[in-house]
């Protein structure tokens, strides 16, 4: 089984009207997906190119959104009484998405969005799918071959000479015996893996239209969904009126009331509407980031209008004006993590704490830091360490105490329930006093604590490094082994590592060269 949405966050929120007694009139479903990449684009100013090609950390944030609005008129099909008026049906909705962030140095802009403009009777659709396959085949046969052949032949001849006529007589006889025993052995193995998971979203606009617009900074996006028939809400809206107002020509009124029959609104207004929209933002971070995560908040707000008409005419009623629906908060580096797919040292889940792997290096003693592996499979945050002296220095904590420990937290994702992984720490002590390393894997509710994993560091940096490596089994499926453990969960996993002085010591020094999950 494979996971479809690995770098995604899903939120579904009700859309309500009325302040005193809220009434739900729809649902807003939002799916955000985050991907991390390296941006090598060169800046270009009025005087020409600015600087060279410099790698910036970038994030692609994709939004798939569906707005579903219901109508009270749908229940009228179950009623036998005569309808004397139509009211409470949707005619106009403005959907706004406003991103914001307090992360220092994080810039963003809208790269693409859809739909831009949709008129009546125009349809749009989108689909996304991934595939793989799996099959196992084993073929076995055994055998050998042995052949023995025995044969003989006897021949005789007689000849005549002299006075008699010359001649001769000959005879022969042969016999052959063959015995065969066969035995063969062959073995073959074929393996492949497959999974197919597809999602699709489609929308057809009938008697409605859609228009999208951006703010001047190309950051905030809005979609206007408006009814075009039996009256065009966008065209006939009176913007000069003090209150929301629709000024309709006389021919529009005849579409609703011809003096004898009262006609209903369009089919979509009667039964409800579904609006599907997508957008994509580009977030870039040039240079070191702040000590806090790149958190981005997306505010969703909807302005909603309802319509009503009877034999006296038609009117427009504002049910909710620019009403906030929800806010989605995205932790970009955490959501963008790719899963660890394999075991071994080549799976990429390793951080050596060089400059290129720091998102934010410790700026001062004890200051928080953040780092990420080059394969985007391991994310580490921490505090209590010294500022690195060079670009390739060891991450060290020169004065670790019980009150001020050195702490790191590892984040990684797992989608395979069978992959076996272990935690590896390349570390050593800097002083004569040893260190105690306390490890908590996926710590549950603090009200139900679990026993931590405790390791001691009592060796300095050595030439071979064998005394500087600590390994902790996170998942082993060998039930015959003493290391039969499974601390991991499918999804996001966390490992919290706290370093304090050894028993009886008040202070200690600690150095961390690398961490890995393999």
């Amino acid at each position: 089984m494979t996971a479809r949405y690995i770098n995604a966050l899903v939120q579904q929120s009700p859309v309500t009207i009325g302040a005193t007694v809220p009434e739900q009139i729809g649902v807003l479903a939002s799916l955000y997906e985050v991907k991390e990449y390296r941006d090598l684009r060169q800046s270009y100013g009025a005087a020409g190119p600015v600087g060279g090609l410099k790698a910036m950390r970038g994030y692609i944030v994709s939004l798939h959104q569906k707005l579903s609005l219901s109508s009270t008129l749908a229940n009228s099909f179950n009623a036998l009484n005569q309808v004397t008026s139509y009211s409470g049906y949707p005619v106009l909705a403005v959907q706004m998405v406003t991103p914001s962030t307090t992360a220092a140095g994080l810039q963003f802009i809208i790269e693409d969005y859809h739909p831009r403009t949709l008129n009546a009777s125009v349809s749009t659709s989108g689909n996304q799918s991934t595939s793989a396959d799996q099959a196992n085949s084993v073929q076995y046969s055994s055998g050998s071959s042995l052949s023995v052949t025995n044969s003989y032949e006897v021949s005789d001849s007689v000849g005549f000479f002299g006075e008699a006529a010359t001649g001769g007589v000959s005879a022969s006889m042969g016999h052959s015996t063959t015995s065969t025993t066969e035995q063969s052995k062959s073995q073959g193995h074929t393996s492949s893996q497959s999974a197919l998971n597809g999602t699709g979203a489609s929308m057809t606009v009938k008697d409605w239209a859609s228009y999208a617009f951006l703010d001047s900074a190309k950051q905030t996006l809005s979609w206007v969904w408006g009814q075009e028939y039996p009256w065009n809400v966008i065209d006939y809206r009176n913007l000069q009126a003090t209150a929301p107002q629709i000024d309709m020509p006389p021919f529009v009124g005849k579409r609703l009331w011809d003096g004898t029959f009262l006609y209903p609104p369009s089919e979509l207004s009667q039964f409800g509407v579904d609006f599907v929209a997508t957008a994509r933002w580009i977030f870039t971070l040039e240079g070191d980031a702040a000590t806090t995560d790149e958190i981005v908040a997306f505010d969703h707000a909807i302005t909603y209008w309802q319509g009503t008409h009877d034999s006296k005419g038609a009117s427009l009623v504002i049910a909710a004006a620019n009403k906030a629906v929800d806010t989605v908060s995205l932790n970009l580096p955490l959501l963008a993590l790719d899963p660890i797919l394999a075991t071994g040292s080549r799976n990429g889940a390793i951080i050596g704490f060089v400059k290129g792997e720091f998102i934010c290096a410790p700026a001062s003693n004890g200051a928080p830091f953040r780092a990420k592996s080059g394969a985007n499979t391991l994310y580490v945050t921490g505090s209590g360490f010294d500022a690195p002296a060079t670009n390739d220095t060891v991450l060290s904590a020169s004065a670790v105490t019980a009150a001020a420990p050195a702490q790191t937290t590892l984040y990684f994702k797992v989608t395979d329930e069978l992959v076996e992984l272990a935690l590896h720490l390349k570390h050593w002590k800097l002083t004569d006093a040893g260190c105690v390393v306390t490890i908590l894997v996926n710590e549950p509710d603090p009200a139900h604590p679990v026993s931590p994993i405790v390791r001691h560091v009592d060796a300095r940096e050595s030439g071979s490094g064998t005394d500087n490596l600590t390994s902790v089994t996170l998942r082993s499926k060998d039930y015959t082994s003493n290391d039969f453990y499974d601390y991991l969960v499918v999804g996001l996993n966390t490992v919290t590592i706290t370093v304090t002085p050894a028993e009886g010591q008040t202070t200690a020094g600690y150095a961390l060269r690398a961490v890995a999950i393999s």
Side-chain angles (χ1 to χ4, degrees), residues 102-350:
T102 57
L106 190 63
Q107 305 295 324
F108 63 95
I109 194 171
I110 292 179
E111 184 185 45
D112 193 17
Y113 58 94
H114 186 81
R116 298 173 183 261
T117 300
L118 287 177
N119 295 321
S121 301
V122 177
S123 62
T124 180
S125 64
N127 184 66
Q128 186 175 8
S129 64
T130 58
S131 65
D133 56 50
Q134 182 169 2
N136 288 301
S137 175
V138 177
Q139 191 174 28
Y140 178 84
S141 63
S142 63
S144 63
S145 178
L146 175 63
S147 178
V148 177
T149 301
N150 295 317
S151 64
Y152 64 89
E153 182 176 356
V154 177
S155 62
D156 190 16
S157 64
V158 178
F160 302 94
F161 303 95
E163 297 179 356
T166 303
V169 177
S170 64
S172 65
M173 182 178 62
H175 179 75
S176 174
T177 301
T178 301
S179 176
T180 301
T181 301
E182 291 190 358
Q183 187 178 22
S184 64
K185 181 179 181 181
S186 64
Q187 184 174 357
H189 178 74
T190 302
S191 177
S192 62
Q193 186 171 357
S194 168
L196 177 61
N197 192 341
T199 61
S202 63
M203 177 184 61
T204 300
V205 177
K206 180 179 182 294
D207 300 332
W208 280 63
S210 172
Y211 304 92
F213 61 93
L214 307 175
D215 66 335
S216 59
K218 292 186 65 177
Q219 294 179 338
T220 299
L221 176 61
S222 300
W223 285 282
V224 178
W225 309 94
Q227 173 189 270
E228 285 191 335
Y229 182 86
W231 73 81
N232 192 317
V233 179
I234 299 175
D235 285 350
Y236 299 151
R237 183 185 176 195
N238 189 342
L239 298 177
Q240 281 73 38
T242 56
Q245 180 179 333
I246 293 293
D247 296 332
M248 293 181 296
F251 74 89
V252 175
K254 293 182 180 180
R255 294 178 178 174
L256 305 174
W257 167 252
D258 61 3
T260 303
F261 296 102
L262 183 66
Y263 296 98
S266 66
E267 287 84 352
L268 292 181
S269 296
Q270 290 185 71
F271 301 107
V273 288
D274 289 337
F275 302 125
V276 178
T278 62
R280 185 169 63 248
W281 285 264
I282 296 293
F283 290 80
T284 54
L285 184 64
E286 185 174 2
D288 292 339
T291 56
T292 56
D293 285 333
E294 284 77 58
I295 303 294
V296 179
F298 287 84
D299 297 324
H300 301 152
I302 295 177
T303 305
Y304 177 66
W305 285 263
Q306 288 181 330
T308 180
H309 71 272
D310 52 23
S311 59
K312 297 179 181 180
S315 61
L316 187 69
V317 178
I318 295 184
N322 197 23
K323 184 175 182 180
V325 177
D326 60 26
T327 298
V328 177
S329 182
L330 306 181
N331 187 323
L332 298 185
L334 196 58
L335 274 175
L337 270 177
D338 293 327
I340 298 176
L341 300 177
T343 187
S345 59
R346 299 183 63 85
N347 64 1
I350 180 171

Side-chain angles (χ1 to χ4, degrees), residues 293-462:
D293 285 333
E294 284 77 58
I295 303 294
V296 179
F298 287 84
D299 297 324
H300 301 152
I302 295 177
T303 305
Y304 177 66
W305 285 263
Q306 288 181 330
T308 180
H309 71 272
D310 52 23
S311 59
K312 297 179 181 180
S315 61
L316 187 69
V317 178
I318 295 184
N322 197 23
K323 184 175 182 180
V325 177
D326 60 26
T327 298
V328 177
S329 182
L330 306 181
N331 187 323
L332 298 185
L334 196 58
L335 274 175
L337 270 177
D338 293 327
I340 298 176
L341 300 177
T343 187
S345 59
R346 299 183 63 85
N347 64 1
I350 180 171
I351 296 180
F353 298 109
V354 296
K355 182 178 181 181
E357 294 176 329
F358 277 107
I359 299 178
C360 175
S364 60
N365 293 343
F369 74 89
R370 295 187 291 125
K372 216 171 196 184
S373 64
N376 191 38
T377 52
L378 181 60
Y379 181 46
V380 176
T381 64
S383 61
F385 290 88
D386 305 335
T390 64
N391 294 338
D392 190 22
T393 189
V394 176
L395 193 61
S396 60
S398 56
V400 175
T401 63
Q407 189 173 66
T408 56
T409 302
L410 283 62
Y411 302 91
F412 58 95
K413 296 177 182 178
V414 175
T415 59
D416 190 345
E417 295 182 349
L418 300 178
V419 62
E420 297 184 342
L421 297 172
L423 166 67
H424 305 282
L425 300 173
K426 183 75 171 181
H427 56 176
W428 54 83
K429 66 177 185 179
L430 296 175
T431 58
D432 292 336
C435 302
V436 175
V437 179
T438 305
I439 303 171
L440 286 174
V441 183
N442 293 325
E443 184 178 9
D445 185 352
H448 303 86
V450 296
S451 300
I453 303 170
V454 179
R455 296 291 186 270
H456 290 79
V457 179
D458 51 11
R460 290 182 177 269
E461 183 181 11
S462 61

